[in-house]
Amino acid sequence: MSRNIGYMSKAIILVRQRHGHCKLYTFQSSQVSGKFKSTPVSALSTEQTKAAISDTRKLDDKSAISKALDDSEIERLSIKDYLERSKDLIRSDGGPPRWFSPLECGVRWQDSPLLLYLPGMDGVGLGLLMHHQRLGKMFDIWCLHIPVTDRTPFKDLVQLVERTVKSENSRSPNRPIYLVGESLGGCVALAVAANNPDMDLMLILANPATSFHKSQLQPLFPFLEVIPEQLHVGFPYFLTLVAGNPLRMAMAAIEKGLPLQETVGELSVSVAALLPSLSVVADILPRESLLWKLQMLKSASSFANSRLHAVKAEVLILASGRDQLLPSQEEAERLFHVLPTCQIRNFTDSGHALFMEDGFDLVTIIKGAGFYRRTRNIDYVSDFTPPTYSEFEKVYNSYRWIDVAANPVMLSTLENGKLVKGLGGVPCEGPVVFVGYHMLLGLELGPLISRFLAEKNVLLRGIAHPMMFGKVWERSLPDSSSFDIYRIMGGVPVSATNFYRLLSRKSHVLLYPGGVREALHRKGEAYKLFWPLQSEFVRMAARFGAKIVPFGVVGEDDIFDVIVDYNDFKKIPYFKAAIEDINNGRTRRLRSEAKGEVTEEDIHFPGIFPKVPGRFYFLFGEPIETEGRKEELRDREKAHELYLHVKSEVERQIVYLKEKREKDPYRTLVSRLLYQASHGFTSEIPTFEL
């Protein structure tokens, strides 16, 4: 089949039959009539399809990371591709609305959940085009196509989607079904969820049209019914410009990292190539179709709003700050207070056509929000998908200032006890448990995780406080996505079950026994360990023969001073009430049965005063073997002895680093800048002699 046939030559179409089953069709261009004809696919059997599905969950973490980090094969697409591929889809074939599954979605993971894409006013079904390749690894994607000449009422569209949802749910009752609704599609998704409150649905709503009655363009709509056809031709173009940020949409086709001059040149070429394709817009939304869609939006908004009280599904709302069609951020806030389980992610600089804009990655948003699961309950270990290079780069840029300002020194210990620069003494093969000191506010996490990925191709799976995964109180944060980076980079809520699962997958686990108490320590408590009195990790590590690597880190006192701590806040009634509200209601307390200072883990944010940056120093001790000691370490006393040994090693490393940094001629920022000025700003800065 030739490439010039169009997008449909690359798609498998699933057409819903009256008896409720699904048939596979390809659509080919007819050389005689210029229309599409459907031909049953006979080359793919169910068994062959299942055999083609890749199950990367069987890989250990190291293999999965290597496989997932490389995203260079993802084709860069833009709004021009959307318009060009829409040409074939909008040709009238007299058929009803139907589902299609794009072939570029590729091979997906086993037991991937179903994702139904519900388009906006255009109805083409290609709104997720720029995301098909990445989404296709995680989901079984079906896109709804509503032909240009179709006049199916809103309630019938809801019934069509509902039949599909019920049919697929009966096939896989333990698998969630995702409804991704854009604008009008958001109303459809809400209506389906309201009609099926007991079904396991996950809703992702991009600028939902539930606020259509408040649209900024409402005054213009009555004129559409009376303006001549000749004048109407230009209105779809106007809607296109208003719906999205043209510059951001054009930038989607530009390669990242180019010099400014080349970027401007590429952007000019991209815009010039886009202009001839804009004529398709008038064909997607001819006069009669546009009037029909606007009337449908009114009924859709009213219908969905009248049933919001019945929606029990989990909802993730994506709201644009520069949506010229709808007051999307205001509407997101309203829906957040109406829907029982709702999250919001705001995109301040984006327009209405969010999925088409440069820099927006739906997969990253889903992962960051903790919104991906393959069964009824999320499993942060088995449902985790390692970050791609582009995701890691975005995360790294958010804390790059620490790497630049503190210029971390990494030291490790070989098996013979010799200290070396770098991570040469750190085991490559898991399972490994890294146990160490948690600096103030977890400042060491950024440099630590980035260096392991860069030098060892190892992703550290941090065991973190459940607060970072709680969706109930994230809206009280200045930015509801503040903790998304921890989910993207593989953090898991602390629990024995998650620790067990990570070790069973041969992961490199990052563990802080001191937890929140260390990371939010008081004045004068820097470098003091707040570990539980009893052993918490030794016997589990021994069960899997995991190596235990104790490590120390210093440098927080060269970056910040704590000037207002927990004890100070508790003396101020306003802050005391706020701390009690967070810790006694919205945050689950850990170690309630433990003894010692580690139980004083109230969440708060200390007042800090920045200093001229010094330097961070990491020292990883000699790996402690537990292989073959499973029976020995079942004895609680033996396990406790090893636990105390690990703790003493961390304390010893901290003392060593504090002493040695005094002999580092490049401990201060000024000395490092002078060194790089004379040796080049990419040169490695020396440190003390080992």
Side-chain angles (χ1 to χ4, degrees):
M1 204 176 295
S2 62
R3 291 179 61 86
N4 63 4
I5 287 176
Y7 178 71
M8 297 299 290
S9 66
K10 299 181 181 180
I12 290 180
I13 308 301
L14 295 94
V15 181
R16 182 65 50 184
Q17 304 295 306
R18 289 184 180 178
H19 51 72
H21 292 90
C22 221
K23 280 192 176 181
L24 292 176
Y25 287 89
T26 56
F27 278 68
Q28 305 178 46
S29 178
S30 169
Q31 301 298 323
V32 179
S33 64
K35 296 182 179 180
F36 292 101
K37 63 181 182 180
S38 60
T39 307
V41 175
S42 58
L44 292 177
S45 68
T46 304
E47 290 73 18
Q48 289 171 321
T49 304
K50 288 181 178 179
I53 293 176
S54 167
D55 184 11
T56 60
R57 311 296 176 182
K58 295 179 181 178
L59 301 174
D60 59 33
D61 267 12
K62 184 74 178 292
S63 302
I65 290 164
S66 300
K67 190 177 183 66
L69 277 173
D70 186 11
D71 54 356
S72 59
E73 296 182 359
I74 296 177
E75 183 182 3
R76 186 177 295 278
L77 301 174
S78 68
I79 190 172
K80 179 180 181 295
D81 298 283
Y82 163 80
L83 294 172
E84 287 294 324
R85 298 185 184 192
S86 294
K87 290 180 181 179
D88 289 330
L89 273 168
I90 62 177
R91 295 178 186 175
S92 176
D93 63 359
R98 69 206 68 172
W99 299 103
F100 70 92
S101 183
L103 280 182
E104 71 244 27
C105 291
V107 179
R108 63 182 182 273
W109 293 320
Q110 191 176 40
D111 299 326
S112 297
L114 176 65
L115 184 150
L116 302 179
Y117 170 64
L118 311 175
M121 195 165 62
D122 65 296
V124 177
L126 293 178
L128 293 179
L129 177 66
M130 294 168 59
H131 310 273
H132 282 167
Q133 294 171 76
R134 290 204 63 203
L135 284 172
K137 296 180 182 295
M138 300 166 59
F139 296 98
D140 179 8
I141 301 179
W142 294 13
C143 304
L144 182 63
H145 170 63
I146 305 172
V148 174
T149 58
D150 181 74
R151 297 295 179 262
T152 302
F154 175 75
K155 291 184 180 180
D156 289 352
L157 279 180
V158 172
Q159 290 176 4
L160 182 151
V161 176
E162 196 171 347
R163 286 196 300 270
T164 303
V165 166
K166 289 180 177 179
S167 173
E168 293 305 308
N169 182 69
S170 65
R171 294 169 180 263
S172 303
N174 296 318
R175 182 179 69 165
I177 296 178
Y178 283 71
L179 302 181
V180 179
E182 185 175 15
S183 188
L184 171 63
C187 294
V188 176
L190 286 168
V192 172
N195 292 341
N196 300 273
D198 297 326
M199 198 170 292
D200 189 10
L201 299 177
M202 305 282 283
L203 273 56
I204 300 175
L205 311 179
N207 301 320
T210 45
S211 63
F212 181 70
H213 61 287
K214 296 181 180 179
S215 173
Q216 293 90 320
L217 299 181
Q218 279 285 355
L220 294 178
F221 295 149
F223 293 102
L224 291 176
E225 300 179 2
V226 296
I227 61 174
E229 181 69 30
Q230 296 85 347
L231 296 179
H232 169 81
V233 174
F235 192 77
Y237 296 95
F238 170 72
L239 280 181
T240 302
L241 294 175
V242 171
N245 185 322
L247 182 61
R248 289 173 68 95
M249 290 193 288
M251 282 293 295
I254 309 302
E255 182 181 348
K256 301 298 180 289
L258 295 176
L260 178 60
Q261 186 174 358
E262 288 187 42
T263 299
V264 173
E266 289 288 333
L267 181 59
S268 301
V269 172
S270 176
V271 172
L274 173 63
L275 293 177
S277 301
L278 288 176
S279 60
V280 182
V281 177
D283 297 327
I284 294 175
L285 290 173
R287 177 191 176 92
E288 295 303 321
S289 295
L290 180 57
L291 291 175
W292 169 261
K293 295 289 178 65
L294 291 175
Q295 290 298 322
M296 185 188 291
L297 277 172
K298 292 181 181 179
S299 62
S301 176
S302 176
F303 188 93
N305 280 311
S306 68
R307 288 162 173 76
L308 290 178
H309 65 279
V311 176
K312 306 302 180 186
E314 294 182 54
V315 180
L316 173 62
I317 300 178
L318 313 178
S320 296
R322 295 188 178 181
D323 189 341
Q324 302 300 315
L325 295 180
L326 299 169
S328 292
Q329 288 195 331
E330 176 188 330
E331 180 66 3
E333 291 293 334
R334 182 183 77 90
L335 292 175
F336 174 79
H337 290 96
V338 173
L339 301 172
T341 309
C342 182
Q343 296 173 257
I344 298 176
R345 292 297 180 268
N346 288 307
F347 304 90
T348 307
D349 298 323
S350 295
H352 185 73
L354 187 60
F355 293 150
M356 288 289 175
E357 293 194 0
D358 177 55
F360 179 85
D361 191 324
L362 183 56
V363 169
T364 302
I365 301 302
I366 292 172
K367 290 163 60 176
F371 213 71
Y372 181 71
R373 57 184 173 88
R374 297 180 299 135
T375 55
R376 287 196 172 274
N377 298 301
I378 189 169
D379 183 336
Y380 284 99
V381 177
S382 63
D383 289 334
F384 172 67
T385 60
T388 61
Y389 283 120
S390 57
E391 286 175 333
F392 169 69
E393 186 177 10
K394 290 179 182 178
V395 171
Y396 175 69
N397 287 337
S398 66
Y399 54 74
R400 180 174 180 150
W401 68 271
I402 300 178
D403 231 9
V404 173
N407 191 247
V409 174
M410 297 281 176
L411 307 174
S412 59
T413 310
L414 300 178
E415 291 183 358
N416 60 8
K418 180 181 178 182
L419 292 185
V420 294
K421 294 179 181 178
L423 300 175
V426 173
C428 291
E429 300 301 322
V432 182
V433 183
F434 295 90
V435 187
Y437 169 68
H438 214 355
M439 284 209 299
L440 181 68
L441 301 178
L443 290 173
E444 80 284 358
L445 287 172
L448 183 61
I449 292 173
S450 62
R451 288 295 179 90
F452 267 78
L453 264 177
E455 291 189 31
K456 308 290 286 187
N457 193 33
V458 166
L459 179 62
L460 296 178
R461 303 293 304 274
I463 294 182
H465 195 284
M467 168 193 68
M468 296 183 176
F469 304 87
K471 302 174 183 179
V472 176
W473 72 286
E474 69 178 13
R475 290 290 294 150
S476 62
L477 298 172
D479 182 0
S480 59
S481 63
S482 297
F483 293 143
D484 285 10
I485 60 173
Y486 297 102
R487 302 183 188 116
I488 292 172
M489 297 305 294
V492 302
V494 58
S495 74
T497 301
N498 284 336
F499 190 33
Y500 176 93
R501 289 173 176 169
L502 287 173
L503 293 178
S504 68
R505 293 171 63 83
K506 299 183 179 180
S507 302
H508 289 67
V509 182
L510 181 60
L511 182 65
Y512 294 106
V516 169
R517 184 61 180 84
E518 274 180 10
L520 301 178
H521 62 69
R522 315 332 182 208
K523 288 182 286 188
E525 293 180 345
Y527 309 123
K528 179 180 178 181
L529 299 188
F530 292 91
W531 288 24
L533 298 178
Q534 69 277 13
S535 169
E536 290 191 332
F537 59 86
V538 172
R539 289 195 295 170
M540 185 75 80
R543 182 171 183 172
F544 291 93
K547 295 181 177 67
I548 300 174
V549 179
F551 72 92
V553 54
V554 302
E556 65 175 74
D557 52 346
D558 277 349
I559 301 291
F560 295 117
D561 271 335
V562 178
I563 56 174
V564 183
D565 65 9
Y566 174 80
N567 296 326
D568 296 324
F569 283 126
K570 291 287 282 185
K571 297 175 184 177
I572 305 173
Y574 174 81
F575 292 108
K576 179 180 179 181
I579 291 173
E580 289 176 351
D581 177 53
I582 291 174
N583 292 280
N584 296 333
R586 288 175 286 175
T587 303
R588 180 168 66 88
R589 301 187 69 86
L590 303 175
R591 294 166 170 161
S592 57
E593 298 179 358
K595 297 179 180 180
E597 291 179 293
V598 72
T599 62
E600 302 171 7
E601 54 178 8
D602 281 1
I603 304 298
H604 68 286
F605 298 94
I608 55 177
F609 188 81
K611 294 181 176 181
V612 176
R615 202 170 192 183
F616 282 179
Y617 303 85
F618 293 80
L619 173 56
F620 296 90
E622 185 177 347
I624 300 171
E625 290 283 356
T626 65
E627 183 74 40
R629 302 180 64 185
K630 180 178 178 180
E631 295 300 322
E632 174 194 350
L633 293 175
R634 279 185 176 179
D635 184 284
R636 290 186 179 275
E637 291 188 5
K638 294 288 186 181
H640 190 63
E641 287 178 10
L642 182 55
Y643 175 76
L644 294 177
H645 172 66
V646 172
K647 182 180 180 181
S648 66
E649 282 294 294
V650 174
E651 291 173 327
R652 185 180 65 82
Q653 290 152 10
I654 291 174
V655 171
Y656 173 85
L657 291 174
K658 288 174 69 177
E659 291 177 353
K660 295 294 287 186
R661 71 176 176 176
E662 299 295 335
K663 302 177 183 179
D664 184 359
Y666 302 103
R667 179 179 173 183
T668 65
L669 178 63
V670 174
S671 62
R672 294 196 297 274
L673 290 175
L674 290 174
Y675 180 89
Q676 288 187 320
S678 59
H679 293 81
F681 284 95
T682 59
S683 59
E684 183 179 350
I685 301 174
T687 185
F688 53 78
E689 293 293 330
L690 299 181

